[in-house]
Amino acid sequence: MLSLALGLITMPVQAQNAALNARIAQLATQEESKVIAWRRDIHEHPELGNQETRTAALIAAHLKKLGLEVQTGVARTGVVGILRGGKPGSVVALRADMDGLPLTEANDLPFASKVTTTYLGQPVGVMHACGHDTHVAMLMGAAEVLSQVKKDLPGTVKFIFQPAEEGSLPGVEGGAKLMVKEGVLDKPKVDAVFGIHINAQTEVGNLTYRSGGEMASADRFTIKVHGKGAHGAYPWNSVDPVVTAAQIILGLQTIVSRQIKLIDDAAVVTVGTINGGVRYNVIPPDVELSGTIRALSPAVQQQIWASIRRIATNIAESAGATADVNIEPYVPVTTNAPDLTARMLPTLRAVAGSTHVREIKAVTGAEDFSFYQEKVPGLFLFVGGMTPGTDPATTADHHTAGFRIDESGLTLGVKTLATLAADYLSGAKR
Ligand code: NI
């Protein structure tokens, strides 16, 4: 009510938003060459998760220059910038991830990565093969745009530059989970969070989203089958863990096909490794399986966990063996709060044009943005990075050595991030 009353004294709220948003659009367009230059610099100097020191220094220097309050070293290499608007209001967070991947870039670009390092003991290249370089550049652009209109912003914008979205080394805590643990959503307390991912299979100029479960949870499981070893010629002396493991693998196939209500949600159970035995004519005592579980709602996720335990232990028991099942939850479901999604949809349509905003089917890939959404309502979107007219089927996928992005898509990302923040703070209903 207060903001409405104040609005009436000067200008109606909607008209104020229209003027502010037009200004944001204009500033974002002016930022384009800077954003592309930042992106190329970061692309040429990719860093693996929890090691993003050069990237973090670049971001921190930029945010300080803009006059923001800056925190560094959050969750090791993360950077947080706080922009206080000229009027009181709520707090909105915008998030970008900063890490590259252990891949050798195969693109012939003047700013292609030539960086190499060691990953899990192996010499590897380092590459921004998921577009996190564009995320950093777009959010740096949005920070510059919003800092130029800060006197008109009713509230506070928190810029979250997060390390290690792709996961940390085994046994190491990191990424969004650690940022939340270190209090990134407190002081000042964040009311809503927005994030954007570039997409190499979506045409430049388009935004896609899904209300509710958008990207899957990802959990790792291991099953250790303990039997009894024997000479391969005398299997009756064994409790064969190889045959038991094979039965368990087939049993797991019935979870998605026979137990999950697939008309509601997709789900995946994949066995990725089988390890056991050293010689062709020796039945080993143990076999170990590992795999990944993907679900689009916490209820289905729980159902799959219970099914894996039940199937593995009971099949093992039927063979006279035992199975130790270990499930490690990794990333929760990326869930776009339906109320917030519905509320911000007019903003997306205004920024991209209504024919360029599309609700998509859920994705069985995962994204650790979900850790913020567990605490506050959040909306995670995809912005097009594919050259118009290109066939997505022949465009290199994310996480491959030929991954590339059409940079003409970045300005829409900057506009979207900045306008989402401004409209959220204005409580805008178009
Ligand atoms: Ni990514």
Side-chain angles (χ1 to χ4, degrees):
M1 286 307 288
L2 182 67
S3 63
L4 183 67
L6 287 173
L8 287 172
I9 294 165
T10 52
M11 226 196 301
V13 171
Q14 281 193 331
Q16 278 186 338
N17 287 335
L20 178 58
N21 292 348
R23 181 106 193 281
I24 286 172
Q26 188 195 4
L27 289 166
T29 304
Q30 287 167 12
E31 287 286 306
E32 184 171 25
S33 58
K34 275 193 196 176
V35 170
I36 291 174
W38 291 326
R39 184 264 161 160
R40 290 184 180 186
D41 179 32
I42 298 164
H43 190 87
E44 199 173 350
H45 301 97
E47 296 166 300
L48 291 180
N50 296 322
Q51 300 171 27
E52 307 94 330
T53 49
R54 181 187 184 275
T55 311
L58 201 100
I59 295 163
H62 175 65
L63 299 182
K64 277 180 193 151
K65 206 178 83 188
L66 296 176
L68 272 61
E69 294 164 38
V70 180
Q71 301 160 11
T72 57
V74 186
R76 290 191 198 84
T77 53
V79 182
V80 177
I82 297 172
L83 176 71
R84 295 188 198 273
K87 305 170 191 174
S90 44
V91 180
V92 66
L94 301 174
R95 174 272 204 171
D97 41 9
M98 311 191 289
D99 52 328
L101 284 158
L103 268 168
T104 302
E105 177 151 15
N107 289 313
D108 183 19
L109 293 166
F111 53 92
S113 166
K114 293 173 191 68
V115 176
T116 58
T117 188
T118 305
Y119 182 73
L120 295 175
Q122 293 202 42
V124 286
V126 185
M127 177 187 176
H128 269 295
C130 196
H132 299 184
D133 50 342
T134 68
H135 303 169
V136 172
M138 289 189 290
L139 192 54
M140 285 168 70
E144 187 154 323
V145 168
L146 288 170
S147 67
Q148 290 174 79
V149 298
K150 82 172 170 189
K151 70 170 181 14
D152 298 320
L153 289 178
T156 299
V157 187
K158 208 179 244 194
F159 299 89
I160 300 175
F161 293 88
Q162 177 211 305
E165 192 284 322
E166 303 287 359
S168 301
L169 291 173
V172 178
E173 214 176 11
K177 191 179 183 184
L178 189 57
M179 294 217 67
V180 170
K181 198 171 161 185
E182 292 191 6
V184 76
L185 298 175
D186 312 316
K187 291 184 195 162
K189 197 191 158 313
V190 170
D191 296 300
V193 59
F194 298 108
I196 274 194
H197 205 299
I198 197 93
N199 189 276
Q201 275 76 36
T202 302
E203 278 192 4
V204 162
N206 289 280
L207 296 173
T208 63
Y209 74 98
R210 185 174 190 250
S211 185
E214 179 178 60
M215 296 182 76
S217 57
D219 310 310
R220 176 172 185 257
F221 68 90
T222 57
I223 302 172
K224 286 183 189 163
V225 183
H226 303 293
K228 180 169 172 275
H231 194 306
Y234 315 120
W236 47 85
N237 289 333
S238 78
V239 174
D240 190 342
V242 174
V243 174
T244 308
Q247 287 178 315
I248 289 173
I249 293 168
L250 292 178
L252 297 179
Q253 306 314 305
T254 64
I255 297 174
V256 173
S257 68
R258 307 287 84 183
Q259 298 176 26
I260 302 298
K261 196 176 174 192
L262 280 173
I263 50 171
D264 291 344
D265 276 322
V268 176
V269 177
T270 290
V271 175
T273 68
I274 318 173
N275 286 301
V278 287
R279 193 178 149 87
Y280 75 99
N281 63 354
V282 176
I283 296 171
D286 309 295
V287 168
E288 184 170 329
L289 312 173
S290 73
T292 187
I293 305 162
R294 305 297 168 115
L296 287 156
S297 74
V300 170
Q301 185 185 19
Q302 298 287 333
Q303 189 189 349
I304 295 175
W305 291 2
S307 293
I308 289 178
R309 289 202 173 97
R310 191 178 62 242
I311 288 169
T313 53
N314 286 308
I315 288 179
E317 195 188 345
S318 75
T322 59
D324 299 332
V325 180
N326 183 33
I327 296 172
E328 292 168 52
Y330 170 46
V331 176
V333 182
T334 302
T335 308
N336 289 329
D339 290 358
L340 181 68
T341 308
R343 179 178 153 192
M344 302 321 294
L345 200 50
T347 299
L348 304 181
R349 291 188 175 131
V351 172
S354 54
T355 56
H356 296 285
V357 179
R358 201 160 38 89
E359 183 155 25
I360 51 167
K361 289 184 179 154
V363 178
T364 49
E367 164 59 65
D368 78 357
F369 188 77
S370 51
F371 285 109
Y372 305 110
Q373 292 173 318
E374 279 192 328
K375 303 286 179 194
V376 299
L379 174 59
F380 191 71
L381 308 164
F382 300 94
V383 62
M386 183 181 79
T387 305
T390 315
D391 179 3
T394 58
T395 307
D397 209 347
H398 291 246
H399 292 214
T400 66
F403 172 81
R404 56 200 296 174
I405 282 302
D406 186 327
E407 293 165 332
S408 65
L410 302 187
T411 296
L412 177 60
V414 176
K415 265 184 219 179
T416 304
L417 286 166
T419 314
L420 279 170
D423 272 2
Y424 179 83
L425 293 179
S426 308
K429 285 199 172 60
R430 285 164 193 273

